[in-house]
Amino acid sequence: MKKERIYLVFTFLLLIPYICSLVIIGIGYNALVRHSDNLWRTIIGALVGAMIMFAIKATIQRPLDLVSDNISENFFKQLLRFFSIRRRKLFLIGNVVLDFGLCWLATLIVRAILPLKVIVGTSTGWVLLVMLISTCIGAYIEYDNLSIDPQQR
């Protein structure tokens, strides 16, 4: 796989959906929780969000492994492998802590940027649309390499 295609697949199939997932967690938390600016409730929301992100990462393991196997740059390869949940316990804990921090940040940013009417209204649909389009583009770019169909190889 060419370097440019790897970056495109990483951006459209992994990075944009990851960011969209964080935004959806922030929107969902702020839409569902009354007094969402309470510190204790934000901590619980970020913890639940981190567990959701952990579950989401389980679904992207194969594409993540395939993309990281085709990379020669050590830094980028290690960055991709950091998001793998099949690694050592230290990286697994680091993943959950990072997701906790990012979910916390997502809830704060969504609350600061979007008014409650938009949070409760159409914001989730727009973010899901961006995620769907991004995933479709990423899968289209490298369908042959990411396919689980053994006849494609």
Side-chain angles (χ1 to χ4, degrees):
M1 204 180 328
K2 292 184 201 174
K3 187 176 179 180
E4 295 81 24
R5 290 187 97 162
I6 291 171
Y7 288 127
L8 284 174
V9 169
F10 172 74
T11 300
F12 286 110
L13 198 59
L14 303 171
L15 185 63
I16 292 173
Y18 184 79
I19 292 169
C20 288
S21 297
L22 289 170
V23 173
I24 289 171
I25 288 168
I27 289 169
Y29 171 76
N30 286 300
L32 295 174
V33 177
R34 183 180 284 205
H35 307 297
S36 61
D37 59 345
N38 180 294
L39 177 64
W40 175 248
R41 290 180 179 166
T42 302
I43 290 171
I44 297 300
L47 185 62
V48 170
M51 296 300 117
I52 291 169
M53 291 302 290
F54 184 79
I56 289 171
K57 287 179 182 177
T59 65
I60 64 165
Q61 287 308 293
R62 179 167 169 74
L64 194 64
D65 291 342
L66 290 170
V67 170
S68 66
D69 287 345
N70 289 305
I71 295 175
S72 59
E73 285 182 40
N74 196 29
F75 175 76
F76 191 53
K77 180 179 262 189
Q78 294 307 316
L79 178 69
L80 283 174
R81 286 187 173 171
F82 176 77
F83 289 100
S84 174
I85 60 172
R86 296 182 190 164
R87 304 269 322 252
R88 295 186 303 247
K89 295 284 185 202
L90 180 64
F91 289 112
L92 192 65
I93 293 168
N95 249 317
V96 173
V97 169
L98 175 68
D99 287 338
F100 175 82
L102 291 174
C103 288
W104 182 311
L105 191 62
T107 60
L108 296 177
I109 290 172
V110 166
R111 187 180 319 131
I113 292 177
L114 298 176
L116 186 59
K117 183 178 180 181
V118 174
I119 290 173
V120 176
T122 61
S123 57
T124 302
W126 286 108
V127 175
L128 285 172
L129 180 65
V130 169
M131 184 186 290
L132 175 69
I133 291 170
S134 173
T135 305
C136 289
I137 291 170
Y140 175 77
I141 291 171
E142 280 301 319
Y143 176 78
D144 291 338
N145 289 327
L146 299 174
S147 175
I148 58 173
D149 184 10
Q151 296 174 0
Q152 291 290 329
R153 295 209 162 226

